């Protein structure tokens, strides 16, 4: 796959972004986004991405752009690049942050494309960190904690970090959703977290396939009774996790294969 930067770009409201438009965004933290992988100019779970952007816009700005308009911005960016790419759609306010002017401002969409990615190979070992993301249900920008704890985890000899809330429950990892396996059912953490689009795709396909699922409070102590763990995000539906803190977990390859099979069962659709 080519990594030529000239193949990719950034668009705001459908036109090529200018330096004057992009410079203020380097200092902006009041925005939300969704990230997706495009293959053959098709996207899985587009409905989930659009719903995420719509709901977050209502929460942050008090209004949202029509789904059709957002989809057209995404489609234009996909059409302008290679068949396979990574795409991020960010919704922000031209009124900026730290001001009341952005309360009911008309949202603006920034779409960026880059080389495709499938994430790290794994398995991964995660440090256990006591941290709760603010506005956890929104995929928002400006989250210094995620990178900070990633760096801390690597310094401690781990690959990444998993977050534990004030009640001792595991919620999510830095840029990942967590999933667990008891040998029969897929277990999703019961805690405040972001519901990922890949997570949503896997959940509805597991339901279609008749695989049991449930939400449960997962503590570090609970890990000893589980048969596997995984992380997932827009890069991949499943990478094995073989340790969280001092707790060792089996690689559980059948579980990882199940997550991938569920994701592959989701049809990819054109955005136009």
């Amino acid at each position: 796959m080519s990594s030529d930067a000239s193949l990719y770009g950034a668009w705001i409201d459908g036109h090529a972004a200018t330096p004057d438009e992009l410079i203020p965004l380097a200092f902006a933290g009041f925005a939300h986004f969704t990230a997706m992988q495009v293959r053959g100019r098709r996207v899985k779970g587009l409905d989930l991405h659009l719903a995420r952007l719509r709901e977050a816009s209502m929460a942050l700005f008090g209004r949202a752009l029509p789904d059709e308009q957002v989809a057209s911005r995404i489609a234009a960016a996909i059409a302008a690049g290679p068949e396979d790419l990574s795409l991020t759609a960010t919704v922000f306010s031209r009124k900026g942050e730290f001001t009341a002017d952005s309360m009911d401002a008309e949202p603006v969409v920034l779409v960026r494309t880059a080389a495709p990615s499938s994430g790290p190979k794994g398995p991964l070992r995660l440090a256990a960190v006591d941290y709760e993301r603010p506005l956890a249900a929104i995929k928002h920008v400006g989250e210094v904690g995620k990178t900070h704890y990633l760096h801390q985890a690597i310094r401690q000899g781990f690959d990444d970090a998993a977050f534990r809330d004030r009640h001792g429950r595991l919620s999510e990892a830095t840029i990942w959703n967590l999933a667990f396996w008891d040998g029969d059912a897929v277990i999703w953490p019961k805690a405040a977290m972001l519901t990922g689009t890949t997570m949503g795709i896997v959940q509805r396909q597991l339901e279609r396939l008749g695989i049991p699922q449930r939400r449960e409070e997962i503590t570090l102590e609970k890990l000893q009774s589980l048969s596997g763990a995984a992380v997932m995000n827009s890069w991949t539906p499943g990478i094995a996790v073989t340790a969280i803190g001092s707790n060792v977990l089996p690689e559980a390859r059948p579980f990882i294969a199940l997550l991938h099979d569920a994701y592959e069962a989701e049809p990819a659709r054109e955005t136009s």
Side-chain angles (χ1 to χ4, degrees):
M1 295 182 183
S2 174
S3 59
D4 185 351
S6 66
L7 297 175
Y8 312 104
W11 295 263
I12 291 180
D13 278 349
H15 68 266
T18 67
D20 286 344
E21 290 175 312
L22 290 174
I23 288 171
L25 295 181
F27 306 97
F30 189 63
H32 65 87
F33 68 102
T34 195
M36 64 191 76
Q37 291 297 313
V38 179
R39 299 293 184 268
R41 295 203 166 90
R42 292 173 176 265
V43 177
K44 292 178 183 283
L46 181 63
D47 60 321
L48 300 176
H49 288 287
L50 295 175
R52 163 186 280 172
L53 295 177
R54 181 188 343 109
E55 292 165 8
S57 287
M58 292 302 299
L60 294 186
F61 308 120
R63 62 177 68 183
L65 297 170
D67 286 0
E68 296 78 9
Q69 183 176 335
V70 177
S72 71
R73 304 289 190 244
I74 292 172
I78 290 173
E83 288 192 349
D84 298 343
L85 50 81
S86 300
L87 184 146
T88 303
T90 302
V91 181
F92 67 99
S93 167
R94 294 188 189 276
K95 299 295 184 179
E97 57 185 342
F98 311 125
T99 173
D101 293 341
S102 56
M103 287 175 61
D104 296 300
E106 182 76 10
V108 180
V109 181
L110 166 68
V111 181
R112 295 175 294 147
T113 58
S117 177
S118 57
K121 183 179 179 181
L124 302 179
R125 299 173 63 254
L126 309 180
V129 176
D130 292 328
Y131 180 64
E132 297 179 38
R133 291 175 49 249
L135 301 176
I138 297 176
K139 191 175 180 70
H140 53 83
V141 305
E143 293 195 72
V144 65
K146 294 196 295 188
T147 303
H148 172 72
Y149 289 118
L150 167 64
H151 291 176
Q152 293 294 321
I154 292 171
R155 290 188 181 106
Q156 295 168 22
F158 293 92
D159 301 299
D160 211 321
F163 299 148
R164 186 171 59 171
D165 68 14
R166 71 194 74 180
H167 306 292
R169 304 175 300 184
L170 291 167
S171 57
E172 55 193 353
T174 56
I175 58 171
W176 313 89
N177 280 118
L178 293 168
F180 300 94
W181 178 244
D182 68 359
D184 296 303
V186 178
I187 305 170
W188 305 99
K190 188 175 182 180
M193 64 179 183
L194 176 72
T195 300
T197 53
T198 298
M199 177 180 171
I201 289 170
V202 170
Q203 286 177 330
R204 66 188 180 190
Q205 292 301 328
L206 288 174
E207 182 177 359
R208 187 186 66 82
L209 294 169
I211 305 299
Q213 305 177 72
R214 67 179 185 272
R215 293 182 68 229
E216 186 175 313
E217 294 184 352
I218 304 294
T219 63
L220 293 178
E221 295 73 23
K222 176 70 176 177
L223 294 176
Q224 299 302 317
S225 66
L226 298 178
S227 303
V231 290
M232 63 180 65
N233 63 10
S234 63
W235 289 336
T236 171
I239 298 175
V241 172
T242 53
I244 300 180
S246 61
N247 298 274
V248 177
L249 291 147
E251 189 169 347
R253 292 181 182 177
F255 173 45
I256 302 303
L258 174 63
L259 296 175
H260 281 262
D261 288 345
Y263 183 78
E264 289 304 315
E266 176 85 6
R269 305 186 186 281
E270 294 182 353
T271 53
S272 57

